[in-house]
Amino acid sequence: MTAAIGLRDVTVHYGRTEALSAFSIDVAVGETVALLGPSGSGKSTALKAVAGFLRPSAGSVLLAGRDVTHAPPRERGIGVVVQQYALFPHMKVKDNVAFGLAAMGRADRRARVAEVLDLVGMAAYAGRYPRELSGGQQQRVAIARALAIRPPVLLLDEPLSALDASLRAEMVGELQRLKRELPDTAVLYVTHDQTEALALADRIAVMRDARLVDVDATEELYHRPPSAFTASFLGAANLIPREGGELLVVRPHQVAVAAAGTPGGRAARVTGVQWRGSTYRVTCALDADGTEVRADVASLDGLPGVGETATVLVPTVGEGATVVRV
Amino acid sequence: MLVWSRRGRALLWTVFALVFVPVVLAPLAVLVLAAVAGSWNGVLPTGYTTGHLGDALAGEQVASLSVSLQTAFLAGIGAVIVGVWGALAVREAPPAARRIADAAMHLPIAVPSVVVGLGLLTAFSRPPIALNGTMWLVVIAHFVLVLAFAYSTVSAALERTDPAYAQVAASLGASPMRVLWRVRVPMLMPAVSAAASLSLALSMGEVGATIMVYPASWRPLSVTIFTLTDRGKVFLASAETVVLLATTVVILVGLGVATRRGRR
Amino acid sequence: MSHPWRRTPWLLPPLLLIAGFFLYPLYFVVRESLTADSAPGVTLATWQRVLTSGRFLDALGSTVTISLAATVGCVVLGTFFATVLAFVPFPGAGLVTRLVDTLLAFPSFLIALAFTFLYGSAGIVNTALGGSAVGDFLYSPWCVIAAEITFYTPFVMRPLLAAYSHVPREQLDVAASLGARPGRVFARIVLPEALPALAAGGCLTLLLTLNEFGIVLFIGAKDVTTLPMLVHSYGVVTFDLPAACVVAVIQVALSSALYAVYRRTFHKGR
């Protein structure tokens, strides 16, 4: 089956800087792919190349097999939600949503607007102006506006980054529901937040310095990261050096901390403790080479304090840790 | 981006060039050409000379340039000081006084310069204050006309300044005067420089009020240029205009550089 | 709070200067307009003489027509220029923007002077097109209108460019991806957000063109007299000071009314 989105060696330059370097990826019909990476990694650039907001200096962009590399955005029929939503401030919610439906008859348009506003739970706000809405509500309207044109492809550029933490969690749930209701829509989801990517994506593409680092199914990538960068960016893993130039990948919740001298562990010194509500994150420095190891523990009872010596207990490869090459 | 297709953009840019060049660029270019034209019988000058520019920088003309510069400096410095003072005072005044004072400071923008000149001529040609026939009437006219612009520039900048800076300074124990001198006025310096530039430029080119009040002993360059034009000496007038513009630009660039140095 | 600037007396020095050098002279203009050589004391004789003269009515008519036409021209051209510079920028657009900003500080008469070379009877256009292609254009009201459009277009562009800089580029991108053509994006997204700035720029241009003097003076067309020109010619050419003052009072009333509208409309938000 032809992929809904196909990027083939797409390279983008901003002046002299290469913002995206020979980037290739396919997104299948109905699939959600997250582009995950730190800021400046090229993930937004890739999305803009798909939307047509910028023109690649090399490579090609395919939509359902059709080459649209040089087509203007209005001929691509893609739904786009940008970071700050870009709702048109002088138009009411319903007019924002209807903007892409100019070719429709009046009755059809009104029905479609009502339908998508209902889909995002904003039907009651059709007559409001964007400035009268909260951030989360504006977000929903922006999604409704993008979905109104029934796009086969939906692009989301850091859609939750402007929201506060609790609202973000709620919107992740909302997006999961939308995904179930739109089983045929291909979604490209750009984010720097691994929890969003883990919750929403079927596959994750990790990016760094304008390049693709790794791409794989979400669980596979999390549990068996192929590279040190992916391991640390996805799930904040500890990377502990082993013999033979390898790194042991261990998630913080797999690490235990015990009193100094406990057998089977590594000698270390506690350098910090952060209370995170449900757990404590204890940071230790290994005596052997100073490597920093983070552990999430439920209780501090009987554990050494900051500045004291301790023992760090790390699982082996057989017990859930994985290994990557440096 | 508004226009996405290459053809659309090329078309738009062509139209832009076709309108912008004759409407805005051509008059400026023609003026500069005229300043160096020896004779002009064809589409372009048939010969070039630096004679007009030389004449423009000699004798009567250079005296006139010096009159313009002195007037611009006196009026400009006065307008900047009063403008900054006014902007600060208006900002701190109670709302009712603030509205009235702001309108009063802006008022001269609304009145044609010729009328400002006529007013000064009628008011100060008789006792108790008879200034007619002196340079002061010219300087006052320019001061009144550029004050509104200087005030407007500074007060707009003041409007944009975050009051937090002054509040932090005050919370650190600085007296209001110290806050004013060490925090508020320095932060306004770019606007003050802009106000000074605008005042100078406007004063250098002022004709309306000047032509109503200037005495024979104090004839600014703009009036001289008009007299030359009126007598048909258009090439010399053009050269004179180029000199006026060049002088203005040099001063403005100098002011800009000085401001940037001062901020470092 | 014992904040010295809070005290209104600080307002007095600048306001006294405005009163002394601006309002006091205006008062004399009004007083002078109520005198006449023919009759002693306060009289409306000069008002009557001026208001019924064909010269005044002509000047009033051409002042209003010229400034309206020039304003329309400036709004149309200024919108086009600003839109291209902001949203379809070409290499060098920044330079053009700076040139336009510089024009704002130049004297208006330089445009008039340039026009004599361009459109005079032996000017470039006539020479290039042969004979008298543009005829008496230089001495017609059209020439004054054209010169004012050239000079005042930047006054429309500046507020417009400032307003454009607040329009997020993402809005244009999203509108395009929703299938809108450039024309529709401009009409539905760009223009509504820039309309207040455009109205403010247009209003200011109307005011400044009503008051324009340098351009008309330098072109020196005998048939084109505007109110400021009339003030000048009564005042210092024929030395009919009372008549000059009558015209001045009318001009001030006209301009101040327009300025009041401008302030009322565009300063409310502050």
mmCIF file of all heavy atoms in Angstrom, chain B residues 65-92:
data_model
loop_
_atom_site.group_PDB
_atom_site.id
_atom_site.type_symbol
_atom_site.label_atom_id
_atom_site.label_comp_id
_atom_site.label_asym_id
_atom_site.label_seq_id
_atom_site.Cartn_x
_atom_site.Cartn_y
_atom_site.Cartn_z
ATOM 1 N N LEU B 65 23.452 77.792 4.241
ATOM 2 C CA LEU B 65 23.552 76.456 4.848
ATOM 3 C C LEU B 65 23.872 76.583 6.334
ATOM 4 O O LEU B 65 23.293 75.886 7.181
ATOM 5 C CB LEU B 65 24.640 75.640 4.139
ATOM 6 C CG LEU B 65 24.941 74.250 4.710
ATOM 7 C CD1 LEU B 65 23.720 73.352 4.592
ATOM 8 C CD2 LEU B 65 26.127 73.608 3.991
ATOM 9 N N SER B 66 24.781 77.507 6.641
ATOM 10 C CA SER B 66 25.158 77.690 8.041
ATOM 11 C C SER B 66 23.971 78.206 8.856
ATOM 12 O O SER B 66 23.749 77.786 9.996
ATOM 13 C CB SER B 66 26.371 78.615 8.116
ATOM 14 O OG SER B 66 26.276 79.460 9.217
ATOM 15 N N VAL B 67 23.168 79.085 8.270
ATOM 16 C CA VAL B 67 21.952 79.568 8.953
ATOM 17 C C VAL B 67 21.026 78.393 9.241
ATOM 18 O O VAL B 67 20.499 78.240 10.346
ATOM 19 C CB VAL B 67 21.232 80.626 8.086
ATOM 20 C CG1 VAL B 67 19.807 80.844 8.572
ATOM 21 C CG2 VAL B 67 22.010 81.935 8.099
ATOM 22 N N SER B 68 20.846 77.525 8.236
ATOM 23 C CA SER B 68 19.973 76.357 8.416
ATOM 24 C C SER B 68 20.473 75.472 9.548
ATOM 25 O O SER B 68 19.694 74.998 10.379
ATOM 26 C CB SER B 68 19.919 75.536 7.134
ATOM 27 O OG SER B 68 18.825 75.938 6.355
ATOM 28 N N LEU B 69 21.794 75.230 9.544
ATOM 29 C CA LEU B 69 22.363 74.351 10.566
ATOM 30 C C LEU B 69 22.176 74.949 11.965
ATOM 31 O O LEU B 69 21.758 74.257 12.895
ATOM 32 C CB LEU B 69 23.847 74.104 10.296
ATOM 33 C CG LEU B 69 24.140 73.103 9.181
ATOM 34 C CD1 LEU B 69 25.622 73.081 8.845
ATOM 35 C CD2 LEU B 69 23.673 71.704 9.590
ATOM 36 N N GLN B 70 22.459 76.242 12.100
ATOM 37 C CA GLN B 70 22.312 76.876 13.417
ATOM 38 C C GLN B 70 20.865 76.822 13.885
ATOM 39 O O GLN B 70 20.566 76.503 15.032
ATOM 40 C CB GLN B 70 22.796 78.327 13.349
ATOM 41 C CG GLN B 70 24.293 78.454 13.122
ATOM 42 C CD GLN B 70 24.707 79.905 12.957
ATOM 43 O OE1 GLN B 70 24.492 80.718 13.847
ATOM 44 N NE2 GLN B 70 25.271 80.229 11.809
ATOM 45 N N THR B 71 19.942 77.138 12.955
ATOM 46 C CA THR B 71 18.524 77.096 13.299
ATOM 47 C C THR B 71 18.126 75.690 13.736
ATOM 48 O O THR B 71 17.467 75.502 14.764
ATOM 49 C CB THR B 71 17.668 77.515 12.086
ATOM 50 O OG1 THR B 71 18.174 78.740 11.576
ATOM 51 C CG2 THR B 71 16.209 77.665 12.478
ATOM 52 N N ALA B 72 18.565 74.704 12.931
ATOM 53 C CA ALA B 72 18.183 73.324 13.239
ATOM 54 C C ALA B 72 18.720 72.893 14.593
ATOM 55 O O ALA B 72 18.025 72.236 15.380
ATOM 56 C CB ALA B 72 18.684 72.388 12.142
ATOM 57 N N PHE B 73 19.973 73.288 14.908
ATOM 58 C CA PHE B 73 20.541 72.883 16.195
ATOM 59 C C PHE B 73 19.819 73.556 17.353
ATOM 60 O O PHE B 73 19.438 72.897 18.323
ATOM 61 C CB PHE B 73 22.048 73.192 16.246
ATOM 62 C CG PHE B 73 22.870 72.107 15.630
ATOM 63 C CD1 PHE B 73 23.607 72.311 14.482
ATOM 64 C CD2 PHE B 73 22.873 70.832 16.208
ATOM 65 C CE1 PHE B 73 24.343 71.291 13.901
ATOM 66 C CE2 PHE B 73 23.616 69.810 15.643
ATOM 67 C CZ PHE B 73 24.349 70.041 14.492
ATOM 68 N N LEU B 74 19.603 74.873 17.247
ATOM 69 C CA LEU B 74 18.917 75.573 18.338
ATOM 70 C C LEU B 74 17.509 75.014 18.544
ATOM 71 O O LEU B 74 17.119 74.646 19.655
ATOM 72 C CB LEU B 74 18.848 77.079 18.029
ATOM 73 C CG LEU B 74 20.172 77.837 18.162
ATOM 74 C CD1 LEU B 74 20.009 79.272 17.677
ATOM 75 C CD2 LEU B 74 20.629 77.821 19.618
ATOM 76 N N ALA B 75 16.755 74.940 17.451
ATOM 77 C CA ALA B 75 15.374 74.468 17.566
ATOM 78 C C ALA B 75 15.347 73.009 18.003
ATOM 79 O O ALA B 75 14.524 72.614 18.845
ATOM 80 C CB ALA B 75 14.651 74.637 16.235
ATOM 81 N N GLY B 76 16.270 72.205 17.448
ATOM 82 C CA GLY B 76 16.290 70.775 17.749
ATOM 83 C C GLY B 76 16.624 70.501 19.206
ATOM 84 O O GLY B 76 15.940 69.718 19.872
ATOM 85 N N ILE B 77 17.661 71.165 19.721
ATOM 86 C CA ILE B 77 18.039 70.936 21.116
ATOM 87 C C ILE B 77 16.892 71.352 22.041
ATOM 88 O O ILE B 77 16.502 70.617 22.955
ATOM 89 C CB ILE B 77 19.333 71.714 21.455
ATOM 90 C CG1 ILE B 77 20.519 71.035 20.775
ATOM 91 C CG2 ILE B 77 19.556 71.777 22.965
ATOM 92 C CD1 ILE B 77 21.800 71.826 20.844
ATOM 93 N N GLY B 78 16.320 72.532 21.741
ATOM 94 C CA GLY B 78 15.186 72.990 22.546
ATOM 95 C C GLY B 78 14.038 71.993 22.506
ATOM 96 O O GLY B 78 13.481 71.607 23.540
ATOM 97 N N ALA B 79 13.720 71.527 21.298
ATOM 98 C CA ALA B 79 12.579 70.625 21.145
ATOM 99 C C ALA B 79 12.833 69.306 21.860
ATOM 100 O O ALA B 79 11.923 68.748 22.491
ATOM 101 C CB ALA B 79 12.304 70.376 19.666
ATOM 102 N N VAL B 80 14.068 68.797 21.795
ATOM 103 C CA VAL B 80 14.351 67.514 22.442
ATOM 104 C C VAL B 80 14.240 67.659 23.967
ATOM 105 O O VAL B 80 13.612 66.823 24.632
ATOM 106 C CB VAL B 80 15.748 66.988 22.031
ATOM 107 C CG1 VAL B 80 16.171 65.834 22.932
ATOM 108 C CG2 VAL B 80 15.710 66.522 20.584
ATOM 109 N N ILE B 81 14.828 68.738 24.506
ATOM 110 C CA ILE B 81 14.759 68.917 25.960
ATOM 111 C C ILE B 81 13.300 69.052 26.406
ATOM 112 O O ILE B 81 12.834 68.334 27.299
ATOM 113 C CB ILE B 81 15.581 70.159 26.386
ATOM 114 C CG1 ILE B 81 17.070 69.879 26.160
ATOM 115 C CG2 ILE B 81 15.317 70.498 27.857
ATOM 116 C CD1 ILE B 81 17.952 71.079 26.386
ATOM 117 N N VAL B 82 12.574 69.950 25.762
ATOM 118 C CA VAL B 82 11.179 70.163 26.159
ATOM 119 C C VAL B 82 10.343 68.914 25.865
ATOM 120 O O VAL B 82 9.446 68.563 26.639
ATOM 121 C CB VAL B 82 10.599 71.405 25.453
ATOM 122 C CG1 VAL B 82 9.144 71.608 25.836
ATOM 123 C CG2 VAL B 82 11.413 72.629 25.807
ATOM 124 N N GLY B 83 10.674 68.239 24.769
ATOM 125 C CA GLY B 83 9.925 67.033 24.413
ATOM 126 C C GLY B 83 10.102 65.934 25.452
ATOM 127 O O GLY B 83 9.133 65.302 25.876
ATOM 128 N N VAL B 84 11.351 65.693 25.888
ATOM 129 C CA VAL B 84 11.608 64.664 26.896
ATOM 130 C C VAL B 84 10.942 65.068 28.218
ATOM 131 O O VAL B 84 10.252 64.261 28.861
ATOM 132 C CB VAL B 84 13.126 64.461 27.112
ATOM 133 C CG1 VAL B 84 13.383 63.549 28.291
ATOM 134 C CG2 VAL B 84 13.759 63.883 25.857
ATOM 135 N N TRP B 85 11.152 66.313 28.591
ATOM 136 C CA TRP B 85 10.522 66.825 29.825
ATOM 137 C C TRP B 85 9.005 66.612 29.760
ATOM 138 O O TRP B 85 8.396 66.065 30.676
ATOM 139 C CB TRP B 85 10.862 68.312 29.963
ATOM 140 C CG TRP B 85 10.325 68.967 31.198
ATOM 141 C CD1 TRP B 85 9.013 69.007 31.595
ATOM 142 C CD2 TRP B 85 11.061 69.667 32.198
ATOM 143 N NE1 TRP B 85 8.895 69.690 32.768
ATOM 144 C CE2 TRP B 85 10.138 70.117 33.161
ATOM 145 C CE3 TRP B 85 12.413 69.978 32.357
ATOM 146 C CZ2 TRP B 85 10.528 70.847 34.282
ATOM 147 C CZ3 TRP B 85 12.795 70.712 33.476
ATOM 148 C CH2 TRP B 85 11.867 71.132 34.421
ATOM 149 N N GLY B 86 8.430 67.044 28.658
ATOM 150 C CA GLY B 86 6.976 66.936 28.504
ATOM 151 C C GLY B 86 6.508 65.491 28.561
ATOM 152 O O GLY B 86 5.535 65.168 29.241
ATOM 153 N N ALA B 87 7.236 64.599 27.864
ATOM 154 C CA ALA B 87 6.810 63.196 27.827
ATOM 155 C C ALA B 87 6.830 62.593 29.234
ATOM 156 O O ALA B 87 5.894 61.897 29.638
ATOM 157 C CB ALA B 87 7.716 62.402 26.895
ATOM 158 N N LEU B 88 7.912 62.876 29.993
ATOM 159 C CA LEU B 88 8.006 62.338 31.361
ATOM 160 C C LEU B 88 6.903 62.919 32.241
ATOM 161 O O LEU B 88 6.247 62.204 33.004
ATOM 162 C CB LEU B 88 9.378 62.644 31.957
ATOM 163 C CG LEU B 88 10.545 61.815 31.413
ATOM 164 C CD1 LEU B 88 11.876 62.410 31.831
ATOM 165 C CD2 LEU B 88 10.442 60.367 31.885
ATOM 166 N N ALA B 89 6.689 64.237 32.135
ATOM 167 C CA ALA B 89 5.690 64.896 32.986
ATOM 168 C C ALA B 89 4.292 64.405 32.649
ATOM 169 O O ALA B 89 3.481 64.136 33.541
ATOM 170 C CB ALA B 89 5.783 66.406 32.827
ATOM 171 N N VAL B 90 4.006 64.262 31.353
ATOM 172 C CA VAL B 90 2.669 63.825 30.944
ATOM 173 C C VAL B 90 2.407 62.413 31.440
ATOM 174 O O VAL B 90 1.328 62.085 31.921
ATOM 175 C CB VAL B 90 2.508 63.899 29.412
ATOM 176 C CG1 VAL B 90 1.279 63.134 28.953
ATOM 177 C CG2 VAL B 90 2.418 65.347 28.967
ATOM 178 N N ARG B 91 3.446 61.563 31.369
ATOM 179 C CA ARG B 91 3.258 60.167 31.757
ATOM 180 C C ARG B 91 2.902 60.038 33.236
ATOM 181 O O ARG B 91 2.156 59.147 33.626
ATOM 182 C CB ARG B 91 4.550 59.392 31.480
ATOM 183 C CG ARG B 91 4.475 57.948 31.882
ATOM 184 C CD ARG B 91 5.085 57.084 30.808
ATOM 185 N NE ARG B 91 5.142 55.693 31.264
ATOM 186 C CZ ARG B 91 4.264 54.786 30.891
ATOM 187 N NH1 ARG B 91 3.272 55.095 30.101
ATOM 188 N NH2 ARG B 91 4.377 53.540 31.319
ATOM 189 N N GLU B 92 3.447 60.925 34.059
ATOM 190 C CA GLU B 92 3.214 60.810 35.502
ATOM 191 C C GLU B 92 2.020 61.628 35.975
ATOM 192 O O GLU B 92 1.663 61.567 37.143
ATOM 193 C CB GLU B 92 4.468 61.257 36.268
ATOM 194 C CG GLU B 92 5.687 60.396 35.994
ATOM 195 C CD GLU B 92 5.468 58.935 36.378
ATOM 196 O OE1 GLU B 92 4.675 58.668 37.309
ATOM 197 O OE2 GLU B 92 6.059 58.049 35.733
#
